[in-house]
Amino acid sequence: MKKVYMVQPNSQYGNFIYFPYAAGVIAAYAFEDDFIKDHYSFEGFIYKRMETAEALAFLSDPSVVAFSCYAWNYEYNKSLAKKIKEKYPECITIFGGHQINPETSSDLLYEKYADYLIFGEGEEIFRRLLISLNTCNQCDIPNIAFLKNNEIFYTETNEICAPQIVSPYTKGFFDDILKTEKELLFSAILETNRGCPNRCSFCDWGNIKSKVRLFDMETIKKDIDWMADNKIEYCYCADANFGLFERDEDVIEYLIKNKIEKGFPFKFQTTFSKKNYETVFRINKRLNDVGMCKGATLSFQSMSTDTLNNINRQNMPLSYFVELMTLYNKNHISAYSELILGLPGETYDSFKEGIDQLLNSGQHMSIAVFNCELLVNSEMGKKEYREKFKIETARVEQHQFHTTPNFSETKEFSDIIVSTYSMSKEDWKRSNLYEVYVRCFHNLGLLQCFAIYLHNTTGMKYSDFYEAIISKSYAEPDSVCGQITKTLIKKFEEILENKGALNIYDRAFGQITWPFEEWAFLFAIKNFDRLYNELASFLEKLVGKKIYNDLLSYQKAIIKTPYSNQITLNLAFDFYKYFSSIYKNQSGVILESKDCTILISSNDTPEDIIDYAREVVWFGRKGGQNIITDVKYIN
């Protein structure tokens, strides 16, 4: 029997790691075939970034080693494959996954890291390839490449997709991992369909152009049962548009049933449909009611018409977005909106104005901004597209957020867009700094009340307020804001020099990497009173002496800090009613001059800054747990 191993090293999120789902599905599908079961034995997965020597020791006389490649494991896979070839020269190595592209992956064959490349979906092609290794006839298998007479031979390109997946969970492919792994906790991926009807140029789903296929409902339910029975806390659904189909509500119903009866999965997250907003709302309300919701996605990517045309994207009408935000806020359901920085057509001004539009629409709690990563299998990754829009990239060291830093010799990298025909590198830096300030000081709440009050009473634009804060940080480099700005500008400049990463590792907040805005928030929390003292004269001048002290007290009190518990405020203005009404997008809201006493409670807030960073900022951010909502009148 020929021994088969699968390699899919995943990132660690603190003490959590994902099962190697993609590799597992491919293995499970192949070993349903009788010929393969008769000629091969499946021996196991390499699913974490173990040292090369340890990985080699795990392998025992391998015949086939298949690598599932992503941006976060590509260099590791190449390094390990090279070592495998040195020790086991007869071993067949196969590379597939999102990082494998006909134009950019030829070095794998020439350098002899890989014997075969698989392009696109892998289940059916991998099955055929394993069978063909016994017959020496690979030329008829579509979507692969290999060396033939020292030249790369590409077979015919076809849309070959597995009609149904085979579950690695219920087929037992992860049982040995659960039995032997004592150090890590596992998160699981659920897949109910595959494909995407959208054609966004930045996404490799759009370039694949495969039809959306629904997978068997009984298989889905059995996967959910398996997760519950094995006490899997976190379930991520890999569908590109969850909520697109009516049956998705049945999937949620079954997840909730397991949560109620067995306690697991504890949390559910997915990428929601860009359509069917009523269905998506119902799903999120059901999840929120049982504490499973990680936040609803109301994505835009850009608010610029030129940019949307360039990336083949359409957004919902802004008026409809206002209605949705009102609905989500009224029902206390977290909703976040995504933007991508670096898309062709975007300028600093259009990016800034786009954020203003979201804030004006009631999106005060969560705007996610991602720097645009150039994916090799996307339309944007093609040479013609990059030349057309004058796209320039920087290579950054690849660290996903909230992961244990990679201190090994093998580093992973991503190519992010730092300049286009419409945005210079200098404006890219300005845009990054601006969005960090908005997300840190507004979405995470530190100055949210001041910004909303000024906007509602004086018409001051949110962008004018936060640009003024940024200007002040430059003028006072030793202040809390000044230190945040200096640190971030240095990080951005390192990125432009191909030396940096899109995160910060600060031991003061634990042994994990942080996105810039979360690090800035934690740094501000660590210097909480000093921050507001330094901003005092600036803020008082804007809002006026009459209201300043009460507004400052309310603003500080609603931020959950490591040292907050219960605060009683005696106020001359009814801020709680005022801001609650604004969050619900009520029109004509006026601050009442009214003596009131409110009790603001924050129970079970960790006192240790590292525990606080993990529990409140990382785990709780999308649930809005950094802002206290337990507020009561006591007179």
Side-chain angles (χ1 to χ4, degrees):
M1 298 283 280
K2 296 180 179 180
K3 296 179 180 179
V4 176
Y5 292 85
M6 307 293 286
V7 181
Q8 187 189 336
N10 290 322
S11 300
Q12 281 183 226
Y13 299 83
N15 200 40
F16 286 84
I17 194 169
Y18 279 100
F19 288 108
Y21 173 78
V25 169
I26 289 171
Y29 185 90
F31 277 86
E32 286 294 286
D33 187 283
D34 289 336
F35 179 90
I36 291 174
K37 284 190 285 190
D38 290 341
H39 292 81
Y40 294 93
S41 65
F42 182 75
E43 299 295 323
F45 300 93
I46 293 175
Y47 57 90
K48 56 185 177 180
R49 294 180 74 96
M50 59 180 68
E51 294 297 324
T52 303
E54 185 182 356
L56 287 173
F58 175 74
L59 304 175
S60 174
D61 193 24
S63 299
V64 177
V65 179
F67 296 81
S68 182
C69 298
Y70 299 85
W72 56 83
N73 66 22
Y74 189 48
E75 297 300 326
Y76 178 92
N77 284 352
K78 290 196 293 183
S79 176
L80 179 57
K82 182 179 179 181
K83 296 292 185 182
I84 291 172
K85 279 294 190 180
E86 290 172 357
K87 186 174 181 179
Y88 301 105
E90 299 303 314
C91 177
I92 301 296
T93 52
I94 302 170
F95 275 59
H98 284 260
Q99 202 67 11
I100 302 304
N101 175 277
E103 297 178 7
T104 61
S105 303
S106 59
D107 63 311
L108 293 170
L109 297 172
Y110 283 128
E111 296 293 332
K112 306 297 178 69
Y113 298 142
D115 294 297
Y116 297 93
L117 306 181
I118 295 177
F119 310 116
E121 293 191 34
E123 287 90 349
E124 178 63 17
I125 304 304
F126 182 71
R127 183 189 72 84
R128 295 189 193 183
L129 186 54
L130 282 186
I131 294 172
S132 77
L133 294 178
N134 285 267
T135 62
C136 300
N137 182 23
Q138 290 83 46
C139 294
D140 294 333
I141 301 174
N143 306 338
I144 67 171
F146 55 91
L147 285 181
K148 185 177 182 181
N149 300 323
N150 292 320
E151 296 288 337
I152 297 180
F153 180 80
Y154 294 93
T155 62
E156 183 182 3
T157 300
N158 279 330
E159 186 179 323
I160 303 295
C161 303
Q164 291 291 330
I165 57 172
V166 178
S167 170
Y169 302 114
T170 57
K171 292 293 182 179
F173 278 80
F174 298 146
D175 289 357
D176 285 345
I177 293 178
L178 284 175
K179 290 176 184 176
T180 58
E181 181 59 69
K182 305 301 181 184
E183 298 178 357
L184 299 174
L185 299 173
F186 286 91
S187 300
I189 289 177
L190 179 70
E191 195 175 16
T192 78
N193 67 63
R194 193 180 293 175
C196 182
N198 303 314
R199 296 292 179 261
C200 305
S201 62
F202 54 82
C203 178
D204 50 11
W205 275 112
N207 200 33
I208 291 171
K209 297 181 177 62
S210 59
K211 296 178 181 178
V212 179
R213 289 121 53 215
L214 300 180
F215 294 142
D216 176 63
M217 195 66 171
E218 285 306 307
T219 299
I220 295 165
K221 288 183 176 180
K222 288 178 181 177
D223 279 356
I224 294 170
D225 288 336
W226 186 93
M227 293 175 198
D229 292 339
N230 286 280
K231 297 180 169 55
I232 304 302
E233 292 187 18
Y234 183 77
C235 171
Y236 179 79
C237 180
D239 298 0
N241 293 275
F242 192 80
L244 185 63
F245 303 101
E246 288 185 11
R247 73 169 202 167
D248 290 345
E249 294 191 72
D250 297 331
V251 174
I252 292 302
E253 190 71 32
Y254 201 75
L255 276 159
I256 291 173
K257 176 177 178 290
N258 272 273
K259 168 71 182 295
I260 292 172
E261 293 177 358
K262 303 176 184 177
F264 297 92
F266 193 68
K267 291 288 184 181
F268 174 83
Q269 188 172 4
T270 189
T271 300
F272 285 103
S273 171
K274 288 75 179 170
K275 303 174 182 177
N276 292 10
Y277 296 109
E278 291 84 0
T279 301
V280 171
F281 172 75
R282 287 196 300 272
I283 286 172
N284 278 284
K285 188 173 188 313
R286 290 298 318 280
L287 291 169
N288 196 62
D289 288 344
V290 294
M292 293 183 73
C293 185
K294 287 289 288 181
T297 314
L298 300 173
S299 298
F300 286 90
Q301 317 312 347
S302 175
M303 307 299 286
S304 160
T305 302
D306 288 343
T307 305
L308 294 172
N309 289 335
N310 290 340
I311 64 173
N312 303 320
R313 176 87 180 192
Q314 286 185 328
N315 285 338
M316 73 177 91
L318 204 58
S319 59
Y320 190 37
F321 175 67
V322 173
E323 292 179 19
L324 287 172
M325 283 308 308
T326 303
L327 191 61
Y328 278 97
N329 289 338
K330 181 179 179 181
N331 285 274
H332 306 290
I333 301 171
S334 298
Y336 59 98
S337 301
E338 295 176 346
L339 297 174
I340 298 178
L341 178 57
L343 297 172
E346 200 77 78
T347 65
Y348 172 71
D349 287 335
S350 71
F351 179 70
K352 183 180 62 174
E353 289 164 8
I355 291 178
D356 265 346
Q357 287 181 284
L358 295 179
L359 296 173
N360 293 340
S361 301
Q363 180 52 287
H364 294 293
M365 298 303 179
S366 189
I367 299 173
V369 180
F370 301 96
N371 272 275
C372 187
E373 181 177 353
L374 214 58
L375 303 178
V376 296
N377 282 304
S378 68
E379 181 187 0
M380 195 173 285
K382 293 180 179 179
K383 181 180 178 181
E384 309 82 54
Y385 190 100
R386 299 196 304 272
E387 289 178 346
K388 177 180 179 181
F389 295 109
K390 298 180 180 178
I391 290 174
E392 293 185 51
T393 61
R395 174 149 285 201
V396 298
E397 190 174 332
Q398 217 279 340
H399 285 309
Q400 292 180 304
F401 304 141
H402 309 131
T403 62
T404 304
N406 173 21
F407 294 120
S408 67
E409 294 181 3
T410 306
K411 305 292 185 182
E412 305 293 345
F413 299 94
S414 295
D415 294 314
I416 63 166
I417 296 176
V418 295
S419 177
T420 67
Y421 78 94
S422 58
M423 180 176 284
S424 67
K425 292 179 181 178
E426 193 61 34
D427 279 348
W428 176 85
K429 285 197 300 183
R430 291 177 66 201
S431 299
N432 269 288
L433 184 64
Y434 178 76
E435 61 92 355
V436 170
Y437 263 79
V438 171
R439 297 170 75 194
C440 169
F441 289 96
H442 196 93
N443 294 153
L444 290 170
L446 291 168
L447 293 175
Q448 186 187 96
C449 294
F450 280 93
I452 290 175
Y453 174 79
L454 287 165
H455 178 76
N456 194 54
T457 57
T458 71
M460 185 177 190
K461 294 174 67 174
Y462 290 108
S463 53
D464 288 344
F465 177 76
Y466 288 109
E467 282 194 313
I469 299 289
I470 292 171
S471 296
K472 185 173 173 62
S473 77
Y474 277 109
E476 300 172 2
D478 294 327
S479 66
V480 175
C481 288
Q483 292 180 68
I484 289 173
T485 294
K486 281 192 297 185
T487 300
L488 293 174
I489 291 298
K490 182 181 178 183
K491 293 290 293 186
F492 301 150
E493 289 174 347
E494 287 174 350
I495 288 169
L496 291 176
E497 295 171 359
N498 296 305
K499 296 177 182 177
L502 286 168
N503 56 55
I504 292 181
Y505 176 60
D506 188 334
R507 288 179 180 272
F509 308 125
Q511 303 291 319
I512 60 173
T513 57
W514 295 96
F516 294 138
E517 78 283 353
E518 289 182 8
W519 170 84
F521 177 78
L522 287 166
F523 186 83
I525 289 292
K526 194 177 177 183
N527 298 276
F528 193 68
D529 289 327
R530 180 185 164 193
L531 170 73
Y532 290 104
N533 289 337
E534 290 171 348
L535 293 172
S537 60
F538 170 82
L539 295 172
E540 184 177 4
K541 183 178 180 181
L542 287 174
V543 301
K545 290 183 179 181
K546 181 180 179 181
I547 197 172
Y548 171 71
N549 287 327
D550 273 13
L551 181 55
L552 177 65
S553 298
Y554 185 82
Q555 171 68 89
K556 292 175 70 174
I558 66 166
I559 303 299
K560 186 178 290 189
T561 66
Y563 24 84
S564 62
N565 191 359
Q566 248 187 22
I567 300 174
T568 300
L569 293 181
N570 296 304
L571 302 172
F573 300 91
D574 194 347
F575 284 114
Y576 178 58
K577 179 181 179 182
Y578 177 76
F579 287 110
S580 297
S581 299
I582 287 176
Y583 294 143
K584 295 174 184 176
N585 279 335
Q586 294 179 6
S587 59
V589 179
I590 298 174
L591 178 63
E592 292 183 43
S593 177
K594 171 186 174 184
D595 289 337
C596 59
T597 302
I598 58 174
L599 180 67
I600 300 176
S601 302
S602 174
N603 297 321
D604 303 321
T605 305
E607 294 184 4
D608 178 77
I609 189 68
I610 292 177
D611 292 339
Y612 169 86
R614 181 183 64 251
E615 300 295 330
V616 176
V617 181
W618 173 16
F619 293 169
R621 176 181 174 179
K622 284 187 177 176
Q625 292 182 25
N626 56 291
I627 295 178
I628 301 170
T629 56
D630 186 3
V631 181
K632 295 183 176 68
Y633 294 105
I634 57 176
N635 74 342

